[in-house]
PDB file of all heavy atoms in Angstrom:
ATOM      1  N   MET A 166       0.831  -1.178   0.000  1.00  0.00           N
ATOM      2  CA  MET A 166       0.000   0.000   0.000  1.00  0.00           C
ATOM      3  C   MET A 166       0.875   1.240   0.000  1.00  0.00           C
ATOM      4  O   MET A 166       1.801   1.362   0.778  1.00  0.00           O
ATOM      5  CB  MET A 166      -0.893  -0.027   1.231  1.00  0.00           C
ATOM      6  CG  MET A 166      -1.715   1.194   1.389  1.00  0.00           C
ATOM      7  SD  MET A 166      -2.904   0.926   2.698  1.00  0.00           S
ATOM      8  CE  MET A 166      -3.813   2.397   2.531  1.00  0.00           C
ATOM      9  N   HIS A 168       1.814   5.334   0.342  1.00  0.00           N
ATOM     10  CA  HIS A 168       1.502   6.458   1.217  1.00  0.00           C
ATOM     11  C   HIS A 168       2.104   7.717   0.600  1.00  0.00           C
ATOM     12  O   HIS A 168       3.212   7.686   0.073  1.00  0.00           O
ATOM     13  CB  HIS A 168       2.096   6.249   2.607  1.00  0.00           C
ATOM     14  CG  HIS A 168       1.604   5.013   3.274  1.00  0.00           C
ATOM     15  ND1 HIS A 168       0.448   4.972   3.993  1.00  0.00           N
ATOM     16  CD2 HIS A 168       2.113   3.758   3.306  1.00  0.00           C
ATOM     17  CE1 HIS A 168       0.259   3.755   4.459  1.00  0.00           C
ATOM     18  NE2 HIS A 168       1.264   2.995   4.047  1.00  0.00           N
ATOM     19  N   GLY A 186      17.725   9.514   0.433  1.00  0.00           N
ATOM     20  CA  GLY A 186      18.568   8.489   1.040  1.00  0.00           C
ATOM     21  C   GLY A 186      17.952   7.911   2.299  1.00  0.00           C
ATOM     22  O   GLY A 186      17.984   6.699   2.523  1.00  0.00           O
ATOM     23  N   LEU A 187      17.381   8.764   3.125  1.00  0.00           N
ATOM     24  CA  LEU A 187      16.741   8.299   4.356  1.00  0.00           C
ATOM     25  C   LEU A 187      15.590   7.351   4.050  1.00  0.00           C
ATOM     26  O   LEU A 187      15.477   6.278   4.645  1.00  0.00           O
ATOM     27  CB  LEU A 187      16.221   9.481   5.176  1.00  0.00           C
ATOM     28  CG  LEU A 187      15.410   9.066   6.400  1.00  0.00           C
ATOM     29  CD1 LEU A 187      16.315   8.896   7.597  1.00  0.00           C
ATOM     30  CD2 LEU A 187      14.316  10.049   6.686  1.00  0.00           C
ATOM     31  N   TYR A 201       8.443  20.873  -6.286  1.00  0.00           N
ATOM     32  CA  TYR A 201       7.810  22.123  -6.700  1.00  0.00           C
ATOM     33  C   TYR A 201       8.323  23.277  -5.855  1.00  0.00           C
ATOM     34  O   TYR A 201       8.873  23.087  -4.769  1.00  0.00           O
ATOM     35  CB  TYR A 201       6.277  22.006  -6.618  1.00  0.00           C
ATOM     36  CG  TYR A 201       5.759  21.436  -5.320  1.00  0.00           C
ATOM     37  CD1 TYR A 201       5.475  22.253  -4.236  1.00  0.00           C
ATOM     38  CD2 TYR A 201       5.579  20.070  -5.179  1.00  0.00           C
ATOM     39  CE1 TYR A 201       5.023  21.725  -3.042  1.00  0.00           C
ATOM     40  CE2 TYR A 201       5.110  19.537  -3.998  1.00  0.00           C
ATOM     41  CZ  TYR A 201       4.830  20.372  -2.924  1.00  0.00           C
ATOM     42  OH  TYR A 201       4.389  19.843  -1.753  1.00  0.00           O
ATOM     43  N   VAL A 214       5.503   6.645  -1.239  1.00  0.00           N
ATOM     44  CA  VAL A 214       6.389   5.594  -0.749  1.00  0.00           C
ATOM     45  C   VAL A 214       5.584   4.329  -0.459  1.00  0.00           C
ATOM     46  O   VAL A 214       4.395   4.390  -0.151  1.00  0.00           O
ATOM     47  CB  VAL A 214       7.163   6.036   0.509  1.00  0.00           C
ATOM     48  CG1 VAL A 214       8.035   7.234   0.221  1.00  0.00           C
ATOM     49  CG2 VAL A 214       6.228   6.320   1.668  1.00  0.00           C
ATOM     50  N   SER A 220       6.720  -4.983   8.083  1.00  0.00           N
ATOM     51  CA  SER A 220       7.241  -4.492   9.360  1.00  0.00           C
ATOM     52  C   SER A 220       7.592  -2.999   9.322  1.00  0.00           C
ATOM     53  O   SER A 220       7.840  -2.397  10.361  1.00  0.00           O
ATOM     54  CB  SER A 220       8.469  -5.303   9.770  1.00  0.00           C
ATOM     55  OG  SER A 220       9.560  -5.020   8.915  1.00  0.00           O
ATOM     56  N   ARG A 221       7.623  -2.401   8.136  1.00  0.00           N
ATOM     57  CA  ARG A 221       7.965  -0.975   7.999  1.00  0.00           C
ATOM     58  C   ARG A 221       6.752  -0.117   8.310  1.00  0.00           C
ATOM     59  O   ARG A 221       5.656  -0.385   7.835  1.00  0.00           O
ATOM     60  CB  ARG A 221       8.470  -0.669   6.589  1.00  0.00           C
ATOM     61  CG  ARG A 221       9.631  -1.505   6.144  1.00  0.00           C
ATOM     62  CD  ARG A 221      10.823  -1.277   7.018  1.00  0.00           C
ATOM     63  NE  ARG A 221      11.886  -2.219   6.680  1.00  0.00           N
ATOM     64  CZ  ARG A 221      13.082  -2.180   7.203  1.00  0.00           C
ATOM     65  NH1 ARG A 221      13.383  -1.281   8.094  1.00  0.00           N
ATOM     66  NH2 ARG A 221      13.978  -3.068   6.861  1.00  0.00           N
ATOM     67  N   GLY A 227       8.028   9.060   9.164  1.00  0.00           N
ATOM     68  CA  GLY A 227       7.722  10.485   9.305  1.00  0.00           C
ATOM     69  C   GLY A 227       8.486  11.136  10.439  1.00  0.00           C
ATOM     70  O   GLY A 227       8.993  12.251  10.301  1.00  0.00           O
ATOM     71  N   GLY A 246      -3.971  22.932  -0.197  1.00  0.00           N
ATOM     72  CA  GLY A 246      -4.573  23.021   1.126  1.00  0.00           C
ATOM     73  C   GLY A 246      -5.256  21.735   1.552  1.00  0.00           C
ATOM     74  O   GLY A 246      -5.853  21.656   2.595  1.00  0.00           O
ATOM     75  N   ALA A 247      -5.170  20.683   0.728  1.00  0.00           N
ATOM     76  CA  ALA A 247      -5.782  19.395   1.053  1.00  0.00           C
ATOM     77  C   ALA A 247      -4.824  18.275   0.697  1.00  0.00           C
ATOM     78  O   ALA A 247      -3.977  18.429  -0.172  1.00  0.00           O
ATOM     79  CB  ALA A 247      -7.088  19.212   0.282  1.00  0.00           C
ATOM     80  N   ALA A 251      -2.701   9.191  -2.959  1.00  0.00           N
ATOM     81  CA  ALA A 251      -1.403   8.644  -3.374  1.00  0.00           C
ATOM     82  C   ALA A 251      -1.402   8.207  -4.828  1.00  0.00           C
ATOM     83  O   ALA A 251      -0.379   8.261  -5.484  1.00  0.00           O
ATOM     84  CB  ALA A 251      -1.037   7.469  -2.474  1.00  0.00           C
ATOM     85  N   VAL A 256       6.090  11.683 -11.242  1.00  0.00           N
ATOM     86  CA  VAL A 256       7.510  12.003 -11.128  1.00  0.00           C
ATOM     87  C   VAL A 256       7.786  13.237 -11.979  1.00  0.00           C
ATOM     88  O   VAL A 256       7.386  13.315 -13.128  1.00  0.00           O
ATOM     89  CB  VAL A 256       8.388  10.816 -11.586  1.00  0.00           C
ATOM     90  CG1 VAL A 256       9.834  11.194 -11.567  1.00  0.00           C
ATOM     91  CG2 VAL A 256       8.141   9.613 -10.702  1.00  0.00           C
TER      92      VAL A 256
END
Side-chain angles (χ1 to χ4, degrees):
M166 175 171 186
H168 301 274
L187 174 90
Y201 48 89
V214 299
S220 70
R221 305 298 173 174
V256 176

